[in-house]
Amino acid sequence: MAQKKNPILMIILIFFLIEISLVFFSKGFNKEMQLGFDKGKFVFRNIESEYNLQHKITEEFQIDEYYKQSGEEPSIYGSNHLYNFFKKVFGQNSAMGTFQLLRMLLLVDILLLFLAILIKKRLLERPSQPQILFEVTYSALEQFVIETLGKEKVNYTPYIVTLFIFIWISNMIGMVPIPGFIEPTRNLNVPLGLGVFAVAIVHITAIKVKGFWGHLKNYVNPVKNPLFLLDIIGEFSKVVSISFRLFGNILGGAIIILVVSSLVSYVVFPVGLTLFFGVFVGTIQAFVFTMLALTYIGVEITE
Amino acid sequence: MELTLAQGIVKAAALLGAGMCMGMGALGPGVGEGFVAGKACEGIARSPENASLITRTMLVGQAVSESTGIYSLVIALLLIFST
Amino acid sequence: MVLSVEYIRIAAYLGAAISVGLGAITTGIGSGIIAGEGALGVMKQPKANDQLFRTMLIGQAAAQTAGIFALVISMLLIYGGFDIPEGGWFRAAALLAAGLAMGIGAFGPSLGAGYSGGEACKSVSRMPKHGNAIMGNMLIGQALSQTSAIFALVVSLLLLYSVPVQPANLTVGKILLKSVSFIGAGLAIGLGTIGPGTGIGFVAGKANDMIGRFPNEKSIIMRTMFLGAAVSESTAIYSLVVAFLLIFAV
């Protein structure tokens, strides 16, 4: 709001300033720049004489491959030491990609942490706007948890809410107009990790409720279910479908935005595409991931 | 990897078969699961007090009708990796 | 084995024709369903003419998304600068497969979006008071059923732009294997989106119908719709995985 200082805006502004100053004052920033639309974002960008879509796609989605092909010397914030460190730890084939992913994940985590601390500090009787947003999200998801798992299992709410907010902010952060800001969920490792843990929590809950042997009997029971091996494959396919759904949607949006904005360089149209793929698809996929994790738990408990 | 023409043809047929297997195998389960979910929407609208029961039935029914999709996934993976 | 430029161009033009030709079939059918239901609705409820007309137009525009994707792919195939000699059989096969993927992949989503929009028009004509809620739900449902079309678009863009240049001195068997695997990837994602696209469209159509009848239960109906649509999509995701494997891992 205009009359009061908004804490969220302040935090985002501070992050922008840190990022922009890191990008500007590093050595890698000596090309001539201009203001314009690129990948649906309003950014400073390099003036390039030739625009090769194939190279662009390689640069955007396979950054290590790009450096190998172009022969450019890779560096992180203009420092070679940092790159060499990443190269030593993660290998040459995934050093830059891992750095980008880790940077975005850390940004999302720190942002969430700051938000949580700030909002908890300023809990008010008449809540401020960010507090209302979080309270509405929390109580709506709590309602879903109660409907699906029952009143006594309400202690699953924090997990569900964290999952939702983390995926939502991860999908949103790709819209921030700073070069190099990618959605962490675009990298398969992040959705796969989230999916593996969601399915693991489903099974831990089932073991807690029904006991180890009781849970195992559901699967390995050759009399009742002669095709029990396929049920075990079905569990793996749960992980695959829940994580590839998120990954495919976010990656698809990113590729389409890149291709369309290279076809129409100076038009405002990609901004609308960014809004569709960022806000609409991002929110729906975060919601769907959370609800699927919740209902998988619910199916195991109530059987 | 050195491949003769005959081996190449066999492997190529397997890969084409994997693609067609997964593609056609996704046809039936997709329509069927959609039908289940549509009817579940109808049921929940008519009797919202049974919402959680209907949702559970829907998920279990979809899991069962998805099993043919999983069979085709297994066959496609076998065709890609084991020939 | 090196191809001359003409053969790659032939493959690109063939792919362009397949893409927009097949993709236009059900786009037309879907838009026609929506228009038919809209006309029927005007007959039943002439007072709701404006609302119905708006719903019909927006629904048709959303149902044509997959057709527009197919158009984009065939434009790229014709004008995207694929008439370079390098690439050989790999590129020729990948261009053909890109056209196949998007052309067949537009089938299901358009049909589903058409059914969803038709049910929405029927529902608006029954309950013009809740027209806005029904229209919002229709748009969300159509966007859900277009996600499988987006998968097809992604695979077809990857086939256009990330296929490696064919190295020299490969054996004939290896060239054949790799080229056929691209076509297999296109067929996998193309055929694999038909079922989920149609199924999600059915879910969205039923949800539109029920929101028109029981507008008080809107939130729970929409939640069921999201969940059901997400689970129906999983076979399209398996197809996406198989297509990725066929492109990158073989």
Side-chain angles (χ1 to χ4, degrees), chain C residues 129-162:
Chain C
K129 214 170 62 182
H130 302 292
N132 286 331
I134 295 167
M135 204 165 77
N137 192 59
M138 173 192 79
L139 273 180
I140 292 174
Q142 285 179 328
L144 282 177
S145 74
Q146 302 289 358
T147 24
S148 11
I150 289 175
F151 290 159
L153 182 60
V154 167
V155 168
S156 126
L157 287 176
L158 283 177
L159 281 170
L160 287 186
Y161 288 111
S162 78

Side-chain angles (χ1 to χ4, degrees), chain B residues 2-62:
Chain B
E2 284 298 314
L3 271 178
T4 64
L5 184 59
Q7 282 171 333
I9 289 176
V10 170
K11 179 89 199 195
L15 292 177
L16 190 65
M20 289 180 74
C21 166
M22 192 59 237
M24 292 184 179
L27 238 158
V31 179
E33 286 170 58
F35 191 78
V36 174
K39 286 289 173 193
C41 270
E42 201 173 334
I44 278 186
R46 287 184 200 279
S47 68
E49 62 273 12
N50 291 332
S52 66
L53 196 67
I54 294 172
T55 311
R56 214 174 69 216
T57 314
M58 177 188 88
L59 273 183
V60 173
Q62 284 183 324

Side-chain angles (χ1 to χ4, degrees), chain A residues 179-236:
Chain A
F181 264 47
I182 59 167
E183 301 92 344
T185 35
R186 187 200 283 179
N187 193 316
L188 180 57
N189 293 309
V190 177
L192 205 59
L194 290 172
V196 164
F197 271 92
V199 173
I201 285 175
V202 169
H203 285 283
I204 291 170
T205 315
I207 287 172
K208 251 188 192 169
V209 173
K210 291 186 275 192
F212 184 72
W213 294 112
H215 181 53
L216 203 64
K217 244 186 256 166
N218 269 355
Y219 288 98
V220 191
N221 195 346
V223 183
K224 210 175 83 186
N225 184 6
L227 288 174
F228 61 90
L229 266 179
L230 282 166
D231 269 12
I232 295 170
I233 294 174
E235 288 305 308
F236 285 107

Side-chain angles (χ1 to χ4, degrees), chain A residues 53-54 57-58 62 144 147-148 234 237-238 240-242 244-249 251-253 255-256 259-260 263 276-277 280-281 284-285 287-288 291-292 295-296, chain C residues 69 72 76 82 84 91 139-141 143-144 147 150-151 153-154 157-158 160-164 220 222-223 226-227 229-234 237-238 240-241 244 248:
Chain A
L53 190 55
Q54 198 150 9
I57 284 189
T58 322
Q62 296 163 304
F144 290 158
E147 276 174 23
T148 322
S237 77
K238 248 185 208 172
V240 170
S241 75
I242 200 176
F244 270 78
R245 181 174 296 121
L246 184 57
F247 162 72
N249 276 291
L251 181 79
I255 291 179
I256 288 166
V259 172
V260 170
L263 290 179
F276 175 76
F277 283 109
F280 182 72
V281 173
I284 282 190
Q285 290 308 320
F287 181 72
V288 160
M291 289 315 288
L292 275 181
T295 24
Y296 282 155
Chain C
F69 288 166
V72 167
L76 281 177
F82 291 110
I84 39 176
R91 172 148 289 158
L139 273 180
I140 292 174
L144 282 177
T147 24
I150 289 175
F151 290 159
L153 182 60
V154 167
L157 287 176
L158 283 177
L160 287 186
Y161 288 111
S162 78
V163 163
I220 196 165
M222 276 179 78
R223 214 173 87 211
F226 275 133
L227 210 62
V231 178
S232 324
E233 208 184 297
S234 45
I237 292 162
Y238 300 154
L240 185 71
V241 173
F244 276 170
F248 292 114

